[in-house]
Amino acid sequence: MALIRLSGISRHYEMGSQLVRALDEVDVEIERNEYVAFVGSSGSGKSTFLNILGCLERPTLGQYYLNGAHVEELDHNQLAEIRNREIGFIFQSFNLLPRANALGNVMQPLVYRRIGYRQRREMATEALRRVGLEDRMDHLPNQLSGGQRQRVAIARALVTRPAILLADEPTGNLDSRTSTEIMYLFDQLHAEGQTLILVTHEEDIARHCGRIVELKDGRIFRDRQRTEAAH
Ligand SMILES: Nc1ncnc2c1ncn2[C@@H]1O[C@H](COP(=O)(O)OP(=O)(O)OP(=O)(O)O)[C@@H](O)[C@H]1O
Ligand SMILES: [Mg+2]
């Protein structure tokens, strides 16, 4: 069974008398260990789609199965648990806690688990080592470069060992060299078996992925494997 299966997923917003179809009957399946980029022009529905995948938003219509669970049927607590267990989310603007150092930020998602402080600290240290930041654990976000902040955010997303890593424009605030470094890190995670789904405007970024899905006006316009997409 596919790790992710969406059928007929729509997200509508009522704006006065106007109905905005941010997503309009999207069907898509994503297997374990796929590396997928969602692309498309501004307003095409990319973030809405990713927020639904990450259970941050609920669809207006349609069915979403995540790792065997039927997401629409989960109550509030079950949804929070599945978010914590299955999903790591990475944002363009990092979304770190400004008053917590790198270690504290990475430990934060583990607070909801029934594990002791010492083990949480060990897991967070390991995740920071994984992204090459073992020597920056005591730094606050504003004492880190943009690329380092995004690495902290990636460590925070990885520390719970989620089934899926979701990233919305993860390199959108980074220069091109730092973007390439972050993409190499994603490439390595993918090679180690991680399932990765990202949203991007940039062709250079999408080219790292094995599959490129293009959204247009809330619908899937094109869905290509990279071998076909290369030209
Ligand atoms: N909370 C909301 N209320 C009303 N309309 C919304 C809301 N969120 C998104 N939309 C609309 O849904 C459409 C899709 O928005 P979305 O943010 O998913 O686009 P996007 O592809 O991520 O764009 P960008 O590349 O600019 O980030 C847009 O037309 C947007 O105006
Ligand atoms: Mg967006």
Side-chain angles (χ1 to χ4, degrees), residues 13 15 20 22 41-48 169 201:
Y13 295 105
M15 301 296 289
V20 178
S41 55
S42 181
S44 59
K46 304 182 297 296
S47 293
T48 305
E169 304 270 7
H201 271 105

Side-chain angles (χ1 to χ4, degrees), residues 58-214:
R58 290 205 182 246
T60 310
L61 290 167
Q63 315 291 321
Y64 176 17
Y65 292 89
L66 169 59
N67 211 357
H70 189 184
V71 173
E72 283 75 51
E73 293 184 350
L74 303 178
D75 66 27
H76 188 77
N77 290 335
Q78 291 170 317
L79 203 60
E81 202 204 311
I82 221 173
R83 249 193 332 249
N84 186 260
R85 196 179 62 221
E86 310 279 17
I87 291 158
F89 216 114
I90 295 156
F91 302 90
Q92 175 174 354
S93 51
F94 322 129
N95 291 14
L96 300 175
L97 301 169
R99 288 174 211 278
N101 63 17
L103 186 67
N105 269 284
V106 178
M107 284 172 71
Q108 196 256 335
L110 299 173
V111 168
Y112 311 105
R113 305 271 173 112
R114 275 184 226 99
I115 46 178
Y117 177 82
R118 189 169 296 185
Q119 197 191 342
R120 293 207 306 268
R121 193 187 162 97
E122 230 163 74
M123 290 168 76
T125 304
E126 176 53 34
L128 281 163
R129 199 174 289 134
R130 180 68 197 78
V131 300
L133 280 184
E134 60 272 37
D135 57 348
R136 291 289 185 277
M137 298 205 292
D138 298 332
H139 287 233
L140 295 171
N142 67 9
Q143 298 166 333
L144 295 167
S145 71
Q148 289 169 339
R149 286 180 208 186
Q150 195 57 301
R151 283 171 191 274
V152 173
I154 293 169
R156 179 181 57 184
L158 285 175
V159 75
T160 54
R161 301 182 186 282
I164 321 164
L165 218 51
L166 302 175
D168 194 351
E169 304 270 7
T171 62
N173 282 343
L174 304 175
D175 62 44
S176 69
R177 211 190 100 207
T178 312
S179 297
T180 305
E181 286 170 14
I182 293 292
M183 290 313 296
Y184 280 137
L185 178 57
F186 283 152
D187 295 351
Q188 281 172 16
L189 294 171
H190 173 243
E192 290 166 12
Q194 182 70 52
T195 307
L196 275 144
I197 302 168
L198 52 93
V199 158
T200 182
H201 271 105
E202 294 163 75
E203 242 175 74
D204 286 3
I205 299 296
R207 222 174 279 142
H208 284 256
C209 300
R211 177 177 173 193
I212 302 175
V213 182
E214 192 176 338

